[in-house]
Amino acid sequence: MKHNSTKWLFLVLALGALLALGACKKKAAPPPPPPPPPPPAPTASISVDPSSIQAGQSASLTWQTTNATDVSIDGIGAVQPNGSQSVSPTESTTYHLVAKGAGGTQEATARLTVTQAPPPPPPPPSVSDEDLFNQNIKDVYFDYDKYNVRPDQESSMQSDVQFLTQHSNITFTIEGHCDERGSTEYNIALGDKRATTVKDALVAGGVGADRIKTISYGKEKPFCTESNEACWQQNRRDHFVYTK
Amino acid sequence: MNLVKDQFLRLAKAARRGAVSKVTLALATVLVVSFLSSFVSAQDWVKTGTNLGVEKPRLAVADFKPSSNDPQNTTLLKTFNDTLWGDLDVSGIVELVSKSFYPLQQPGQPTDVNFLAWNAPPPNAAMLAFGSLGVSQGRLTVQGWLYDVKNTQSPLILGKQYADDAPSEASARVMAHKFADEIIFRLGGGIPGIAESLIYFVSDRGGHKEIWGMDYDGANQHQITHLGTISLSPRISPDGSRIAFSSLTKVGWEIMMYSLDLSRMVSFPRYGGGTNLSPAWSGDGLKLAFSSSRSGEPEIYVADASGGNSRRLTDSKGPDVSPAWNRKTNAEIAFVSGRTGLPQIYTMGTDGTNQQRMTDQGYAVSPNWSPNGQFLTFAWVRKYGPGDPGASDIYLMDIASKQWVQLTHDGGRNDFPSWSPDGRHIVFQSNRSGQIEIWSMLADGTKAQQLTFSGRNTQPNWSWK
């Protein structure tokens, strides 16, 4: 029996050697590899339907790409190579698709025009200096028989100075007014003082003196004609009038 | 008008000698009495200083009688009699005897006078004015007499005749004014009457504030300027030929000049901006003071009457306005200044020196100098407090002593007093009737009467003669 088992062992070894030899032979001699085919260039297309909407409506954006591994649309971001998306921009937009692949980069664009939903309002009238002046300038109010600028009027003065230094082309008149009490002649002199006091303050704040005219109306041109303090306060003021 | 004829020259001369000596005696008595009593009563220095201190004779004024049968006589007589009575009533120097005491038979000429019916009670008159009026052959003639009815031997003080070839109510009114002034001159210490004086003022009755004029009693109101803006502060020149005032232009207030001789505006230099207002004539008519902000502050200036050679008199922080000359001396100017807060009355020399504050409190404005240079009249809110400052009244101040007297007490707003040429009257504006109107009164505050009734009327200024 001993003799038989040696024979089998030999056979196994021989077969194993054959197998091993066979394998080694294959490795040792590979055929030259064929050159890889060039990767195909990507393709890309994008469209929007409809191509014109009113603000608030939506449109369907559709794109296709091939051979692309990295696809993005400006304003939207990375997207699937093929897809469709609903968009609702508020103003006209150009969708710019970029498809990158092993074969290069391809771009495509689609334009979506947005019109304003209600028929567009007429363009706002250009705001004139006079309108700006009247909207921004604040009159200055005084105490009875006084011509100094009282503390609660300082903020009006400051905002007037700010506006007037920013609009240095504007010239204007300061009208001094008084309430109905007191004497006609003295009130005209008092109104003169009220106008020049505020003019001097504006000039000190940087407003050119040559832009400012003053006039006193005393109590001759009241804003309000009742005989009570509320009305009198309305009349004790420097009123600013745009001249150019 | 065809004028003034002294028909009774010879008689009148004799009579006047008697009357003058009587008046002189009466005056002397009154002066002594008022000198003594001035230590007692504040009102007496007012009466003497305003020529109201003379003893007031009892004067009867008989309605003038028609001297013809012309149909115009009725209307003209009414105008004449009403005007004469009004002039004498407001003169402040006579005590008019009520017509209810008059005898039934009233004289139209000297031979008709029944002395006993007038010089004894009930009329108990010392003086009698009487006369006649009539239109004959298109000519209006008035004869008037003033009798001292206590002096039956030589009663005639005054005899006058007036005539006009164009009879009208206006000419009847002028004749009454002239006759009244003759009586007032003789019975009022030789001071000329004011019945022919004029008052200038501001009225808005035509839609704009314009300068107007009227007779001193409110008759004959007429518009003078037609500038269509705001015109204020009329001041008549001493000779009565020009009115200085201030008007609002597009760039400010300017001093304006109107010639009554030419009936039109005449040129006066314009400053071209700022506030130029409240002109005031010197008594000699050669200078004008006014307020101007041409240096930046409203200050008092003096210029020639032509507007040239202006120079500044004041230099204060507050408004200086409303100058008024001492028209007796032409050496001082009163004005209003807000240099210490509320406006006060100040005086100074015409070179700006010696500035003195006259009022001690309240709100004092609108000074005007008495013709004799002794007094200031002005508007004063003495009790000024928070909220509504209350009544503005007319005051009179003795400049030397700064003693003052309140002349109005109506609780309204009274302002812009202006003295009459005889010193006995003050014209002013007041809202006491509910609307602002022109009033006059005696300079002691009595006998206030309303002169305007239409629109708002302000800033009266009395002529100088």
Side-chain angles (χ1 to χ4, degrees):
Chain A
M1 241 352 249
K2 189 171 176 183
H3 185 73
N4 254 1
S5 51
T6 307
K7 207 172 138 178
W8 278 104
L9 181 63
F10 180 77
L11 262 175
V12 168
L13 287 170
L15 276 171
L18 269 173
L19 277 170
L21 281 171
C24 284
K25 185 180 179 183
K26 198 177 180 179
K27 273 233 163 148
T43 65
S45 68
I46 187 167
S47 66
V48 61
D49 181 45
S51 63
S52 176
I53 58 168
Q54 290 188 341
Q57 295 176 331
S58 58
S60 177
L61 191 65
T62 305
W63 64 95
Q64 290 93 31
T65 65
T66 58
N67 305 321
T69 53
D70 181 5
V71 180
S72 68
I73 301 172
D74 288 358
I76 295 176
V79 293
Q80 294 296 315
N82 298 296
S84 178
Q85 183 171 337
S86 177
V87 292
S88 181
T90 55
E91 55 189 15
S92 298
T93 305
T94 297
Y95 293 97
H96 182 220
L97 175 75
V98 178
K100 292 177 184 167
T105 297
Q106 183 69 42
E107 299 180 18
T109 59
R111 172 79 175 170
L112 174 58
T113 304
V114 179
T115 55
Q116 294 306 313
S126 62
V127 182
S128 70
D129 278 350
E130 182 167 9
D131 294 334
L132 281 173
F133 183 89
N134 292 334
Q135 287 159 17
N136 287 281
I137 286 292
K138 296 184 177 71
D139 286 356
V140 178
Y141 294 83
F142 296 88
D143 281 339
Y144 177 69
D145 195 56
K146 294 291 200 304
Y147 51 82
N148 58 303
V149 178
R150 66 189 193 209
D152 70 342
Q153 299 297 305
E154 291 288 355
S155 63
S156 295
M157 289 287 301
Q158 281 165 13
S159 91
D160 289 346
V161 166
Q162 190 177 7
F163 175 85
L164 291 166
T165 49
Q166 286 167 357
H167 297 80
S168 58
N169 56 321
I170 291 178
T171 61
F172 56 99
T173 299
I174 305 174
E175 300 176 350
H177 292 269
C178 305
D179 71 34
E180 63 168 347
R181 296 170 296 169
S183 194
T184 304
E185 290 175 358
Y186 188 74
N187 273 330
I188 292 173
L190 181 64
D192 185 279
K193 283 288 294 181
R194 284 178 177 166
T196 52
T197 299
V198 166
K199 175 183 176 177
D200 292 347
L202 294 180
V203 170
V207 182
D210 56 350
R211 299 168 54 196
I212 312 173
K213 287 188 162 53
T214 60
I215 192 166
S216 172
Y217 288 126
K219 57 176 179 175
E220 301 300 320
K221 295 194 172 183
F223 296 87
C224 174
T225 54
E226 291 163 36
S227 294
N228 56 54
E229 175 51 33
C231 185
W232 291 330
Q233 176 63 91
Q234 282 301 304
N235 292 336
R236 292 191 304 267
R237 73 159 96 172
D238 276 355
H239 179 53
F240 290 75
V241 178
Y242 176 90
T243 52
K244 181 176 75 79
Chain B
M1 171 134 106
N2 214 334
L3 230 300
V4 190
K5 212 170 168 189
D6 226 325
Q7 274 204 328
F8 309 94
L9 203 60
R10 193 173 50 83
L11 258 174
K13 262 186 185 166
R16 205 173 292 142
R17 274 198 300 275
V20 165
S21 62
K22 257 183 198 291
V23 168
T24 311
L25 189 69
L27 257 180
T29 314
V30 168
L31 278 176
V32 170
V33 168
S34 57
F35 177 75
L36 291 173
S37 59
S38 66
F39 295 102
V40 183
S41 157
Q43 288 293 330
D44 286 339
W45 59 261
V46 175
K47 288 203 183 297
T48 49
T50 57
N51 306 315
L52 294 168
V54 294
E55 191 185 12
K56 293 179 180 170
R58 279 176 66 78
L59 170 65
V61 183
D63 279 345
F64 276 44
K65 291 186 137 182
S67 59
S68 71
N69 292 320
D70 194 280
Q72 297 177 77
N73 286 353
T74 311
T75 314
L76 297 178
L77 271 170
K78 175 161 176 40
T79 299
F80 181 91
N81 285 324
D82 288 351
T83 305
L84 178 62
W85 183 271
D87 288 345
L88 295 168
D89 187 35
V90 303
S91 70
I93 55 106
V94 292
E95 182 186 347
L96 286 184
V97 180
S98 167
K99 288 190 175 180
S100 60
F101 294 142
Y102 293 3
L104 288 175
Q105 294 299 321
Q106 298 194 14
Q109 53 186 334
T111 52
D112 296 345
V113 176
N114 177 351
F115 287 89
L116 197 61
W118 294 97
N119 66 15
N124 196 23
M127 301 285 166
L128 173 66
F130 62 97
S132 63
L133 173 151
V135 175
S136 176
Q137 294 170 335
R139 185 178 172 86
L140 170 63
T141 305
V142 166
Q143 288 184 305
W145 291 269
L146 178 66
Y147 263 30
D148 176 352
V149 286
K150 303 274 192 194
N151 184 351
T152 56
Q153 292 306 306
S154 71
L156 181 64
I157 297 174
L158 181 65
K160 284 284 177 185
Q161 175 170 308
Y162 308 95
D164 192 330
D165 288 331
S168 68
E169 286 190 56
S171 58
R173 184 176 288 113
V174 169
M175 290 175 186
H177 284 330
K178 288 184 182 297
F179 188 56
D181 275 352
E182 293 285 353
I183 294 171
I184 293 163
F185 179 75
R186 279 165 180 77
L187 301 184
I191 296 168
I194 54 158
E196 288 195 90
S197 63
L198 302 167
I199 292 167
Y200 299 91
F201 59 103
V202 174
S203 181
D204 72 350
R205 71 185 75 170
H208 292 101
K209 286 188 175 178
E210 302 280 4
I211 309 303
W212 285 60
M214 64 181 172
D215 295 353
Y216 93 110
D217 58 0
N220 188 28
Q221 299 189 17
H222 59 284
Q223 186 171 347
I224 293 173
T225 64
H226 297 82
L227 298 177
T229 173
I230 298 172
S231 293
L232 297 174
S233 310
R235 308 288 152 83
I236 182 71
S237 63
D239 65 359
S241 69
R242 281 170 291 172
I243 306 171
F245 58 103
S246 31
S247 279
L248 181 64
T249 70
K250 282 192 173 62
V251 295
W253 295 88
E254 298 284 359
I255 306 291
M256 301 284 188
M257 194 68 75
Y258 184 91
S259 167
L260 290 164
D261 293 342
L262 302 173
S263 296
R264 62 170 171 83
M265 299 292 300
V266 291
S267 71
F268 192 83
R270 295 196 184 184
Y271 189 70
T275 298
N276 303 279
L277 81 162
S278 64
W281 294 92
S282 62
D284 55 15
L286 298 176
K287 303 270 185 200
L288 271 177
F290 55 94
S291 171
S292 175
S293 65
R294 61 190 62 174
S295 68
E297 302 269 352
E299 306 283 6
I300 305 296
Y301 284 71
V302 168
D304 295 344
S306 64
N309 292 324
S310 72
R311 66 177 199 279
R312 184 158 56 96
L313 301 187
T314 60
D315 183 14
S316 78
K317 279 296 285 178
D320 289 349
V321 72
S322 305
W325 293 77
N326 180 339
R327 49 174 132 173
K328 175 95 171 175
T329 66
N330 291 322
E332 294 160 287
I333 290 174
F335 63 103
V336 173
S337 179
R339 60 187 64 179
T340 62
L342 290 172
Q344 304 293 330
I345 307 288
Y346 290 74
T347 59
M348 65 180 166
T350 48
D351 56 359
T353 59
N354 194 26
Q355 298 189 15
Q356 300 220 0
R357 181 169 162 176
M358 302 302 288
T359 48
D360 55 354
Q361 65 181 75
Y363 186 111
V365 291
S366 311
N368 183 264
W369 226 297
S370 67
N372 65 5
Q374 185 182 351
F375 299 133
L376 286 173
T377 182
F378 53 94
W380 203 1
V381 184
R382 278 204 84 237
K383 300 262 174 21
Y384 171 80
D388 194 323
S392 167
D393 280 301
I394 306 299
Y395 285 74
L396 179 155
M397 178 180 278
D398 177 63
I399 292 162
S401 66
K402 293 189 181 177
Q403 263 190 291
W404 49 260
V405 170
Q406 182 177 347
L407 301 182
T408 62
H409 300 81
D410 59 281
R413 290 187 194 158
N414 304 279
D415 198 357
F416 290 102
S418 174
W419 234 296
S420 67
D422 65 358
R424 293 187 179 119
H425 302 77
I426 289 171
V427 66
F428 60 103
Q429 71 181 48
S430 177
N431 70 349
R432 64 182 68 181
S433 67
Q435 179 152 282
I436 195 153
E437 301 289 353
I438 310 293
W439 290 66
S440 73
M441 63 183 172
L442 288 177
D444 62 4
T446 61
K447 274 213 175 295
Q449 61 168 2
Q450 188 173 347
L451 302 181
T452 61
F453 298 87
S454 168
R456 282 173 295 186
N457 302 282
T458 55
Q459 297 191 291
N461 185 244
W462 211 313
S463 67
W464 299 63
K465 54 191 180 185

